[in-house]
Amino acid sequence: MSHNYATPLTPEKRLARVLSRIPADWPLAIDRQPGPTGAACWRARLTPPGHDALDWTPPQDTMVDALEAAWRQARALLASGTGA
C-alpha cells in the first residue's frame, strides 16, 4: 500500500513559491514596521506593468503572508480588467 502524505510548506518554500510567481518586470515593495505589540508587521505592494502602484496590503504577521496578499491583490486587479 502506498502512502501519499502532503508535507506542509516551510516558510522558505512558501517564499520561493510566491517569488517565482511574481514576474521579474513587476516592481515589488516590502515594508516592515513595528506592530502594536512590538512584533513586526509586514506590508507589500506590486506594480503590474501599465498600472499605477497598488495599495499596500494590510499589515501581516510575516513577509510571506504580505507577499501572498500583494500577489492576490494584483491578480484580482488584472482579472477585473481595471486600472489602478
Side-chain angles (χ1 to χ4, degrees):
M1 179 189 303
S2 66
H3 297 281
N4 184 11
Y5 294 108
T7 57
L9 289 177
T10 63
E12 293 82 10
K13 287 181 182 178
R14 284 179 65 204
L15 179 61
R17 182 184 67 187
V18 73
L19 289 176
S20 71
R21 292 179 176 176
I22 299 171
D25 62 339
W26 290 23
L28 166 66
I30 301 170
D31 181 45
R32 182 178 66 179
Q33 297 179 342
T37 62
C41 288
W42 295 88
R43 301 181 312 155
R45 69 178 176 183
L46 288 170
T47 308
H51 294 84
D52 294 331
L54 299 178
D55 292 335
W56 287 99
T57 61
Q60 305 288 328
D61 291 334
T62 66
M63 181 177 63
V64 173
D65 289 338
L67 288 171
E68 287 177 339
W71 174 239
R72 285 190 301 272
Q73 183 183 38
R75 283 193 347 233
L77 170 77
L78 296 177
S80 73
T82 62

